[in-house]
Amino acid sequence: MRAKTIEVIRCGFSNRPARNSTRRGALVAALAFHCAISAHAQMPEQGGHLAAPDNWLVNSGQPWHHTVRGASTVSRLGNREPTAEEKVVVEKAKALFARSSAKAMALVDDGAVVWSETKTPITQEALVFGFSIGKTVTGLAVGQAICAGKLALSSRLEDHVTELASTDLGRATVQDLLTMRSGTWEGNKDTSVWSPEQAQAIAMGRMNWLDLLKTDKVSAAASSTFGGKRKPGEVFSYKSTDPIALGVALARATGTRYAEWVEQTVLLPAGIEGPAAIAQDRATGYGQGDGALRMRFDDWVRLAVWVRKSESQPGCLGDYVRDSMKPMTPTGKIGSMPDSYGYLTWVRGESSWAIGHGGQRIAWNRRNGRTLVTFSSVEDYMRDLNQLYAEWSSLPSLNIP
């Protein structure tokens, strides 16, 4: 493990509640948050693979984050025994889970959990950080705002966030932002778009996410390959700017804080048991739209099942989710990542993926509803995981004719 990685692990989140009753307690909590978002300088790796140390993967967030208590009616997770054909894949999943850095894994058939398992540090009560899976959650929240008539795919960001009027970022449409095509700066190596100084300012409450978006470096167009400015909608570039901008736009368009909108339109309809924590800045409460959600593992499975159910339903949200899972733009094949992108969702063939740093994955097969959910400490077994999912998703569903 690299020396800088050890530094990150030492300054990461604590599983104990932050002592925020004194000035010193507030500073400690803020500095922990600073360590977590100073990603471009310190994002952890292990053996050359992206890593999610235990105190990053499992933690309750910060005192100023939004807490979700859970739905009044919790969605029941159906469980059933595997068929003989499924058992072959389940045994492979068990073997992979035992030998790999996976910390939680579930195989789901259109709402029925066929097999699941967890290991330390993930327990039944632990809040698990989804990292960039939260981008997909932001995309779902945008879909609900569109269906409520509060946003449109063709709306420009500056229509709702007037502070960004006349900037290159402000001219990007909601659809441009959903498909990572704002045309702005590509960000740091790890796709974050803040400096250590800006991270500290956000952590201490001296700066909010909109302040970051307004900076010249973040709001200006990148240079195009052939000279001049890159235009919105032209080129895919995976970075934090676009989902964070959507988080601010959601707050402005709905008149509701991002975290509360996500709670009301995504998490509660999904029937989560709770609790859950949604990250937001300390100064103003703008949500961290690029990766903000911590939930129990079973609630991540409930969310995955709800997305699949929504995708199969008629109506506005169903239409949006189906569109979000279609290939909208090529990604240029980033490493082993899928080669296409939808609305804050990765797409490979007939499957769609929500993907987070360190080996966090939710995969849905659009044809038969076969789903995989996994959380990990290191992305060092993704080839084997992809093969496992390919075998799982190739099986016919028992619930779909």
Side-chain angles (χ1 to χ4, degrees):
M1 185 180 291
R2 300 177 182 177
K4 66 180 182 181
T5 302
I6 296 174
E7 294 172 3
V8 173
I9 294 173
R10 286 175 179 169
C11 74
F13 286 95
S14 170
N15 286 323
R16 293 175 294 179
R19 295 175 60 188
N20 221 30
S21 58
T22 67
R23 184 177 179 182
R24 182 179 180 276
L27 177 62
V28 170
L31 288 177
F33 179 66
H34 163 57
C35 289
I37 68 173
S38 298
H40 82 275
Q42 304 183 65
M43 208 64 170
E45 295 184 5
Q46 183 174 321
H49 301 282
L50 299 177
D54 285 359
N55 57 347
W56 283 45
L57 182 62
V58 173
N59 64 80
S60 57
Q62 295 298 337
W64 58 87
H65 291 173
H66 179 75
T67 299
V68 180
R69 299 301 177 190
S72 56
T73 302
V74 176
S75 177
R76 180 180 175 276
L77 287 175
N79 294 275
R80 66 168 175 79
E81 292 298 313
T83 65
E85 194 174 19
E86 289 172 334
K87 194 169 184 178
V88 174
V89 182
V90 168
E91 291 303 316
K92 291 182 180 180
K94 289 180 178 179
L96 177 60
F97 185 77
R99 71 173 187 267
S100 72
S101 60
K103 301 300 182 181
M105 191 179 293
L107 296 177
V108 184
D109 175 30
D110 197 46
V113 178
V114 179
W115 168 81
S116 69
E117 194 168 340
T118 64
K119 60 189 176 188
T120 305
I122 295 179
T123 64
Q124 185 176 357
E125 304 298 323
L127 297 191
V128 186
F129 187 24
F131 293 84
S132 286
I133 290 179
K135 291 180 173 67
T136 301
V137 174
T138 296
L140 293 164
V142 169
Q144 290 283 40
I146 289 172
C147 291
K150 298 179 183 296
L151 279 176
L153 290 172
S154 59
S155 298
R156 289 188 174 191
L157 180 60
E158 64 187 6
D159 295 340
H160 299 282
V161 187
T162 56
E163 294 90 335
L164 294 173
S166 302
T167 66
D168 297 313
L169 177 59
R171 285 187 280 273
T173 66
V174 168
Q175 187 166 33
D176 293 333
L177 298 170
L178 285 168
T179 53
M180 292 285 186
R181 295 185 292 183
S182 65
T184 54
W185 175 51
E186 295 184 355
N188 301 304
K189 183 179 178 182
D190 73 332
T191 74
S192 65
V193 292
W194 45 80
S195 67
E197 295 75 18
Q198 289 168 332
Q200 185 176 27
I202 293 171
M204 297 300 294
R206 298 193 303 267
M207 186 178 188
N208 62 40
W209 291 119
L210 177 56
D211 293 331
L212 177 69
L213 296 175
K214 287 160 57 179
T215 60
D216 291 341
K217 190 170 187 178
V218 174
S219 64
S223 299
S224 70
T225 305
F226 303 103
K229 289 184 175 182
R230 184 177 290 172
K231 296 179 181 178
E234 285 187 340
V235 178
F236 172 86
S237 176
Y238 186 82
K239 56 192 176 300
S240 293
T241 302
D242 300 37
I244 288 176
L246 285 168
V248 175
L250 274 171
R252 292 295 180 82
T254 65
T256 306
R257 285 190 175 189
Y258 166 89
E260 294 170 358
W261 184 258
V262 169
E263 175 184 11
Q264 294 166 12
T265 67
V266 178
L267 302 186
L268 297 187
I272 71 162
E273 182 176 7
I278 304 174
Q280 56 189 8
D281 69 48
R282 195 174 187 179
T284 316
Y286 286 124
Q288 189 175 347
D290 68 331
L293 185 57
R294 294 167 172 84
M295 296 197 297
R296 294 177 177 179
F297 178 64
D298 280 354
D299 282 338
W300 283 110
V301 176
R302 287 184 176 93
L303 177 65
V305 169
W306 177 77
V307 170
R308 164 58 191 167
K309 182 178 178 181
S310 299
E311 186 262 342
S312 65
Q313 297 295 312
C316 180
L317 183 61
D319 290 341
Y320 174 87
V321 175
R322 283 185 288 276
D323 285 343
S324 75
M325 292 183 163
K326 295 176 182 176
M328 297 281 182
T329 183
T331 63
K333 193 62 176 176
I334 305 171
S336 62
M337 301 291 271
D339 55 7
S340 296
Y341 205 71
Y343 292 160
L344 297 182
T345 304
W346 297 86
V347 183
R348 178 189 288 127
E350 60 185 14
S351 292
S352 304
W353 294 74
I355 293 178
H357 171 93
Q360 324 321 322
R361 302 287 190 270
I362 301 177
W364 300 270
N365 184 281
R366 301 187 302 278
R367 175 177 53 82
N368 61 16
R370 295 273 178 179
T371 303
L372 168 102
V373 183
T374 189
F375 287 83
S376 317
S377 57
V378 188
E379 287 190 25
D380 57 358
Y381 72 105
M382 295 299 102
R383 186 188 298 269
D384 290 339
L385 183 72
N386 290 340
Q387 179 57 40
L388 174 70
Y389 173 69
E391 293 184 33
W392 180 249
S393 61
S394 69
L395 299 175
S397 172
L398 296 190
N399 299 321
I400 298 178

